[in-house]
Amino acid sequence: HTRIRRVLLRVAAPLPLPAPGRGAMHTHGVARSVLALALFFLAQSPSWSLVQPRRFPVSRNVGAGFPVRPRAQLLRSTEVSVEDEVSMPAGQSLEDFCQRLEPSMAKLVLAVADGCRDISEKLRTASCDSMACFSDFGGEHLAIDVLANEIMVQSLRESGVCEVVAGEDANVQTPMDGEGYAIALDALDGASIVDSNFAVGTIVGVWAGNELIGVSGRDIQASIVAMYGPRTVLSVAFSGLSDVFEFLLLDSGAWVSDNQFSGIMSGTIIAPGNLRAAGKHPGYSHLLDTWIDQGYRLRYTGGMVPDVYQIIAKGSGVFVYPSLPRLFPSKLRALFEILPLAFLVEKAGGASSTGTGSALDLVVEDLQMKSPVALGSMSEVALYDSLVGPERPLDDIVKDFDTRTE
């Protein structure tokens, strides 16, 4: 009832005021009442869930609640699970938020947050040359990506709830001392653009148990993503909970709630990866031409975390990374990048695809398994599926495109 009342007041309030006068004020009041009544009955209808959510401004006042918005059914899976909705107060500490989680998951989230805090500090003080960036850790001068991995692995080990961890650059699962979760870790995604001072990130995918081979995106227990830019933010999403929860790192070192994301709609932002493939792939070329003709703007840095995160934060846009076998194959790893970020996007109300269906349906057959992907709103991802589709040999792509355009 509170949610419906908030929606009615926000929609009815902008009605233009009539000329002054008692009769005019009465007419205006009747008009608002009729509109409110109509919206109330609309809200009760089954089709209400298909209405795109209106994005309300979020209060920055400590203790003020985030509005819980109705979610459009944007998931690309055939089975839609029932999830709990949580309204997170602005300014709530990460420790307080974690009290609603299972104890083992709470320990894991706080351990990752501690590691991300340390990585943020090391990035801020890193020295760079034209080849790489370095910082000090444990008396050693290490490359920043190696250092970030050391920090995060140490933090995960100390949590006591991590059974195995696999790093992006390793082809093994390293046993840990804890019990509970298997972790896929990309400690510093975008390490090659740190010297350019672009935003970079940390990606943590969480599965139950002690094995990552054979898991899929449907098995993810949590996705935890940090972004280091002008602000350092930590975003988390969990199995069984709707929405994505964002926490801001303060100067004091504390993490406090800052945003709650629950809707991704069509927009005018594109982040197109693997652009070299567009010269050979007629479907990809046509897709880009279509979006450019529609007035889309390019927002691409080469760091997957900021390029995808902008879609979640702005509530619109699309990231695409097709694959052309042997010529320009995808470089994105399913376990370390695609699955955790696809989980985050779908939890935020968006869609994902590998060209044939949700990226969360991918089953990890190898730690270094790669895949094409599209992440964004439902309509934009559907257009990607239509024009680009799954990874196929170039001859098949050209033949299929020529047939459809004849």
Side-chain angles (χ1 to χ4, degrees), residues 117-137 140-148 151 188 190-191 193-198 200 228:
R117 181 191 298 112
D118 293 342
I119 292 172
S120 178
E121 177 63 21
K122 294 301 182 181
L123 283 168
R124 191 178 64 83
T125 58
S127 59
C128 301
D129 56 29
S130 60
M131 298 298 294
C133 294
F134 303 87
S135 193
D136 295 323
F137 179 71
E140 297 182 83
H141 198 55
L142 300 177
I144 194 67
D145 55 339
V146 175
L147 184 152
I151 290 174
L188 193 60
I193 58 175
V194 171
D195 57 348
S196 302
N197 217 20
F198 287 175
V200 293
Y228 315 104

Side-chain angles (χ1 to χ4, degrees), residues 269-272 291 296 307 311 316-320 374-377 380-381:
I269 295 175
I270 52 171
W291 280 333
Y296 278 63
D307 289 339
I311 298 167
S316 65
V318 60
F319 170 91
V320 295
L375 304 169
S377 75
E380 288 159 333
V381 170

